Amino acid sequence: MSGDAVVSPRAGRKEWVGLAVLALACLVYAMDMTVLHLAVPMLSSDLHPTSSQLLWIIDIYGFMVAGLLITMGTLGDRIGRRRMLLFGAALFAVVSIVAAFAPSAETLIVCRALLGIAGATVAPSTLSLIFNMFRDARQRSVAVGVWVGAYSTGGAVGPIFGGFLLENFWWGSVFLLAVPVMVLLLVLGPKVLPEFRDPEVGKLDPVSAVMCVLTMIALVFGMKAIAQDGIGWAAIGAVVGGLVVGALFVRRQLTHDDPMLDLRLFRLSTFRIALLINMIGIFVAFGYFLFVAQYFQLVLGMTPLATGLVMAPSGIGFIIGSQLTPRLVRVVRPAYLIGGGMALAGIGLLMMTLLTTDGGYGMALAASVICSLGLAPVFGITTEIVVGSAPPEQAGAASGVSETGAELGGALGISILGSISIAIYRGDLASTLPADVPADAAVSARDTLGAAVDVAAGLPGALGDSVLQAARDAFLHGVHITAGIAGIASLVIAVVAFRRLRSLPPGDYSSED
């Protein structure tokens, strides 16, 4: 049980102001991720990344965050969560400026990796601070709803602001959205956020920290390589190496005097199940969001601003769902909200298998909104279950575990679903691309849909139209397959939630069955 069962003082004005500051940081954090998807077509045209480089630009951020979240969470428990948050905000602002003016795909990949390091310090700090600032169960539920809503709001307004910037400026301008907000956080944070650290925590174990990072990055890299290029020695070696280092990490945590991660948390069945559901939810959300953004721009030919406006309702769906959840969970069992939400998301994803290349924005919009409404309660409730299972002094570590699962799910969603889609795209174009397309143009067209659009624009009339139609059909085929996979996964997890979390009563996030 959580420490809230013993002491639950109500938060005052200072805590709510502090929550507003934290929510602002989360909002920009989410905006930074959503606007990048909108920038993919312009970015591809300017930097000419290969398909592999494009995937790394998108998901290296998630890889680094996933690898470092637990380490940063436990480090925050030791040196102070507010201090860790402010350090991350400063790094995020500086690197965002550099990324905005990146001259090459390689430079942008490095910047995205550094942003991942900064993000790893921000994400667990905001969540752990919230759990320490709001000890009353109802207030905490509202605060977590605001936290989820901030991410949702970022997802809603990010495409609009990003679309406006992309209509009027270069692709790198979307990175500058984070700078003024992070500066504001640096100014207000020390005044309204309390400092929290564990007074009895031991020394940070550098060996465990390195092992944790190596495990996460090796596993994700290996799975990404297998999904994109098939089974090979490098991919197998990465997965096996990650598993070996991971096993050694677990053994060290069980025998070390000051373990970086208290593995006793995983003995709680609700903790384990909630973490899995949260991870799968993020997996499908990130996967479909990438495809929808490209579908509107590269298949239907919409401008970045129009795409942002069309995608805004799905973000609004997240906001509505996350704000209703604290009220619903008081009277409805978490299992029903989580299971029902995942089932609704599964229906939305399966609707995406019906998208067409001509005027299907209505179906895409409806599917996105349904997915958002379904996933919103899932993220808030599972996060509370995961972090609420830990004692207050371990909130940073538990937050790190929660955020690690989420970021790993996002990275896997982008890399695995994205890689499957690319494999289908290339396979289809190998047989459908017109034979009289010049060899070098054919190679470029088979790389990414964005490259195919550029190639088609440089070819004479009918030939260019044929290339464009073949590329759009191939891309949409990949979307159909990956959306189907994600939809089925959502429905399976819905059943798991109904069966494994049904013992939790309404309003209780930390009871153990």
Side-chain angles (χ1 to χ4, degrees):
M1 295 288 290
S2 171
D4 295 345
V6 179
V7 180
S8 54
R10 294 181 63 80
R13 179 180 178 182
K14 183 178 180 180
E15 283 76 17
W16 290 108
V17 173
L19 175 64
V21 174
L22 294 176
L24 192 61
C26 294
L27 184 147
V28 174
Y29 180 83
M31 286 176 58
D32 190 70
M33 301 188 72
T34 57
V35 296
L36 179 64
H37 294 127
L38 284 178
V40 164
M42 288 180 65
L43 184 156
S44 298
S45 178
D46 188 17
L47 299 184
H48 305 291
T50 64
S51 59
S52 178
Q53 287 177 329
L54 184 59
L55 280 177
W56 278 113
I57 288 171
I58 295 170
D59 60 26
I60 187 61
Y61 177 88
F63 292 171
M64 296 303 296
V65 171
L68 289 167
L69 273 169
I70 295 177
T71 299
M72 295 303 182
T74 55
L75 186 59
D77 289 338
R78 288 161 170 79
I79 70 172
R81 293 161 195 165
R82 184 181 68 184
R83 181 180 299 175
M84 181 62 70
L85 175 64
L86 297 179
F87 168 78
L91 181 61
F92 206 96
V94 172
V95 178
S96 293
I97 295 174
V98 178
F101 300 95
S104 66
E106 292 83 359
T107 302
L108 187 55
I109 291 172
V110 172
C111 288
R112 290 283 292 168
L114 292 174
L115 285 173
I117 295 174
T121 68
V122 173
S125 297
T126 56
L127 187 56
S128 59
L129 281 169
I130 287 173
F131 270 77
N132 280 279
M133 291 160 60
F134 297 91
R135 304 296 297 279
D136 177 78
R138 287 198 172 187
Q139 287 188 324
R140 184 185 64 195
S141 182
V142 172
V144 171
V146 171
W147 181 76
V148 174
Y151 283 103
S152 306
T153 303
V157 302
I160 298 175
F161 289 155
F164 173 78
L165 290 174
L166 292 171
E167 286 280 326
N168 296 279
F169 304 100
W170 81 113
W171 60 264
S173 61
V174 298
F175 286 101
L176 299 180
L177 285 170
V179 176
V181 176
M182 291 303 177
V183 172
L184 185 63
L185 176 59
L186 290 171
V187 173
L188 296 181
K191 299 178 181 179
V192 298
L193 296 177
E195 182 62 280
F196 284 103
R197 62 171 61 88
D198 183 1
E200 299 181 359
V201 73
K203 296 180 179 179
L204 181 67
D205 180 14
V207 175
S208 293
V210 172
M211 293 173 71
C212 180
V213 173
L214 290 178
T215 297
M216 299 300 296
I217 292 180
L219 286 176
V220 175
F221 174 81
M223 287 184 283
K224 172 184 178 298
I226 290 174
Q228 181 173 348
D229 303 317
I231 297 177
W233 288 111
I236 294 176
V239 172
V240 172
L243 292 174
V244 170
V245 177
L248 294 175
F249 172 79
V250 170
R251 180 180 178 183
R252 186 174 181 85
Q253 303 315 295
L254 294 173
T255 58
H256 201 273
D257 293 336
D258 293 312
M260 190 179 81
L261 178 63
D262 188 353
L263 296 178
R264 289 176 296 180
L265 293 173
F266 288 89
R267 296 177 183 174
L268 305 173
S269 66
T270 51
F271 178 95
R272 296 194 306 270
I273 297 300
L275 188 64
L276 173 65
I277 294 172
N278 187 279
M279 180 176 171
I280 297 299
I282 297 289
F283 175 93
V284 300
F286 273 61
Y288 88 77
F289 191 88
L290 172 62
F291 299 135
V292 169
Q294 293 189 70
Y295 174 75
F296 284 133
Q297 291 187 76
L298 299 179
V299 176
L300 300 185
M302 299 175 68
T303 66
L305 180 57
T307 298
L309 292 172
V310 171
M311 293 179 66
S314 66
I316 295 173
F318 264 116
I319 296 172
I320 294 173
S322 62
Q323 298 313 301
L324 287 177
T325 299
R327 297 174 176 83
L328 292 175
V329 81
R330 297 175 188 172
V331 294
V332 182
R333 287 180 178 269
Y336 300 151
L337 289 174
I338 295 173
M342 290 302 299
L344 190 62
I347 293 172
L349 287 163
L350 292 178
M351 288 173 60
M352 291 186 181
T353 63
L354 304 177
L355 297 180
T356 64
T357 58
D358 51 348
Y361 68 90
M363 178 67 74
L365 174 60
S368 298
V369 171
I370 290 173
C371 284
S372 299
L373 289 172
L375 291 173
V378 173
F379 297 150
I381 298 173
T382 54
T383 297
E384 284 205 64
I385 293 174
V386 171
V387 184
S389 300
E393 65 273 9
Q394 290 185 301
S399 300
V401 172
S402 174
E403 289 292 328
T404 296
E407 293 295 343
L408 180 59
L412 290 175
I414 292 172
S415 60
I416 292 181
L417 295 180
S419 297
I420 291 174
S421 178
I422 286 177
I424 294 171
Y425 173 82
R426 290 176 174 174
D428 284 4
L429 282 189
S431 58
T432 61
L433 206 61
D436 48 348
V437 175
D440 56 342
V443 171
S444 296
R446 284 194 292 266
D447 206 24
T448 64
L449 177 58
V453 171
D454 289 340
V455 167
L459 295 174
L463 182 59
D465 291 341
S466 297
V467 169
L468 185 59
Q469 188 61 47
R472 287 173 170 173
D473 288 340
F475 174 80
L476 203 56
H477 184 202
V479 171
H480 290 164
I481 298 299
T482 51
I485 293 172
I488 293 173
S490 297
L491 296 177
V492 171
I493 289 297
V495 175
V496 172
F498 280 127
R499 296 189 60 183
R500 297 298 300 274
L501 297 177
R502 60 189 176 188
S503 64
L504 286 178
D508 191 338
Y509 299 105
S510 56
S511 296
E512 178 59 19
D513 53 25

